């Protein structure tokens, strides 16, 4: 699973009021990145930490292309015609990914893995130059979300031959949701979960206000100097960000982003710098952030308005960035 970068969060100072349950700050590592949970709970901290880590380890075992013995790696290596029963969580994520692929006309595609690897942003390692047209065509032949057949009743996916799934654009969000489900089951009604920059909040801050989270800016230092950080009131919502500044390489003066457009088999070339999506489920926010990053500032904007999505775009403009947010996103801004 592709390593992620932790989001720069701006949590307000804890108030003097004492919550009904003690506030616990837990942290660990997963998926090549870190996780953090702030939760109001009476349960033992070591028990909570172990439960959270166990859920995250399950996601890695199911959906990490970086692990040779994961469920997804076994599917990718299976011969044509192989039918594989998938774990419930894996199957649910794959169904959601295919639904979004259909809804975006293939701008989002969970089978884009061969192209991600070819361009140096997957388990095969980095590259310093753009691939040849022949290599691109060969990798593209192994993609295509329409080729994947599912049997929902038996949770079966059928390998058509050479198809390579890559769920790194949605699995991390699902991991946040899986931790959220564990915390719900533990009885907590106030928590904030973060895994590699993707977040989900439940209830309100123990002080009685919503959880306040700063949106990641393409240039955090510049944003802090100008004092124009965007803070969201995250109450029973999730947030995910995707940006072209996280992973890229330069070749002969051309910058190649890690965001691959499955429709062209090449990194995106538009001016969108980053996109942040708010949604009830982090799995959806995560996948939609990638979809918007592929669609770009114009097509993505139209898609977001059509589906009443809460989306914030940062677009390259000269030496800086222009921001544009949908009405649904503006409604979630924290009061100054």
């Amino acid at each position: 699973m592709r390593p992620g970068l932790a989001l720069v969060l701006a949590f307000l100072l804890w108030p003097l009021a004492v919550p009904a349950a003690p506030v616990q700050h837990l942290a660990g590592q997963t998926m090549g990145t870190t996780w953090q949970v702030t939760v109001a709970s009476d349960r033992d901290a070591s028990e909570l930490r172990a439960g959270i880590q166990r859920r995250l380890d399950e996601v890695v075992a199911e959906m990490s292309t970086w692990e040779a013995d994961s469920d997804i790696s076994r599917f990718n290596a299976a011969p044509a015609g192989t039918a594989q029963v998938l774990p419930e969580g894996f199957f649910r994520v794959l169904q959601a990914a295919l639904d979004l692929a259909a809804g975006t006309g293939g701008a989002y595609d969970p089978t884009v893995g061969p192209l991600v690897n070819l361009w140096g942003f997957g388990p095969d390692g980095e590259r310093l130059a753009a691939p040849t047209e022949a290599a691109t065509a060969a990798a593209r032949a192994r993609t295509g979300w329409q080729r994947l057949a599912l049997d929902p009743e038996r949770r079966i996916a059928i390998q058509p031959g050479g198809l390579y799934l890559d769920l790194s654009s949605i699995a991390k969000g699902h991991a946040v949701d899986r931790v959220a489900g564990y915390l719900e089951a533990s009885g907590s009604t106030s928590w904030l979960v973060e895994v590699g920059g993707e977040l989900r909040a439940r209830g309100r801050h123990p002080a009685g206000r919503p959880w306040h989270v700063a949106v990641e800016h393409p240039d955090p230092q510049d944003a802090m100097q100008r004092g124009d950080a965007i803070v969201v009131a995250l109450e029973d919502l999730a947030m995910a960000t995707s940006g072209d500044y996280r992973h890229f390489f330069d070749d002969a003066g051309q910058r190649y982003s890690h965001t691959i457009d499955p429709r062209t088999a090449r990194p995106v070339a538009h001016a969108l710098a980053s996109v942040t999506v708010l949604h009830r489920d982090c799995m959806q926010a995560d996948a939609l952030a990638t979809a918007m990053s592929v669609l770009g500032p114009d097509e993505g904007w139209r898609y977001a308005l059509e589906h009443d999505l809460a989306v914030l775009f940062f677009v390259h403009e000269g030496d800086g960035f222009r921001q544009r947010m949908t009405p649904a996103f503006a409604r979630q801004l924290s009061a100054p």
Side-chain angles (χ1 to χ4, degrees), residues 20-53:
V23 177
Q24 303 190 45
H25 303 277
L26 310 172
Q29 296 183 332
T30 186
M31 307 178 195
T33 185
T34 60
W35 64 263
Q36 300 179 67
V37 170
T38 301
V39 56
S41 176
D42 290 315
R43 297 187 64 176
D44 179 71
S46 60
E47 179 186 350
L48 280 174
R49 186 180 295 105
I52 292 168
Q53 190 66 57

Side-chain angles (χ1 to χ4, degrees), residues 88 90-100 150-153:
E88 182 179 355
F90 184 174
F91 194 86
R92 185 166 64 251
V93 168
L94 188 53
Q95 280 186 309
L98 291 177
D99 287 344
L100 186 57
L150 300 183
D151 179 348
E153 290 188 4

Side-chain angles (χ1 to χ4, degrees), residues 164-244:
Y164 184 101
L165 294 175
D166 181 353
L167 298 175
S168 57
S169 61
I170 189 173
K172 192 162 55 174
H174 168 71
V176 171
D177 290 337
R178 193 173 288 195
V179 171
Y182 167 71
L183 294 175
E184 289 278 358
S186 75
S188 175
T189 58
S190 175
W191 41 257
L192 180 66
V193 177
E194 183 260 338
V195 179
E198 321 298 21
L199 304 103
R200 181 171 168 177
R202 171 71 165 89
R204 299 175 72 83
H205 187 286
R209 58 165 172 77
W211 296 93
H212 292 157
V213 180
V215 174
E216 185 174 13
H217 191 282
D219 187 347
Q221 185 174 4
D222 183 52
M224 286 190 294
Q225 289 175 346
R226 294 197 313 270
D228 60 356
I230 298 174
V231 179
V232 173
L234 207 63
E235 183 176 357
D236 295 333
L237 280 175
M239 182 168 78
T241 297
S242 178
D244 71 352

Side-chain angles (χ1 to χ4, degrees), residues 3 12 16 29 59 64 71 76 102 107 145 162 168 171 174 178 192 196 218 229 242 268 273 317:
L12 301 186
L16 295 178
Q29 296 183 332
V59 176
S64 175
D71 290 286
N76 289 341
W145 62 273
S168 57
H174 168 71
R178 193 173 288 195
L192 180 66
S242 178
V268 296
E317 192 171 77

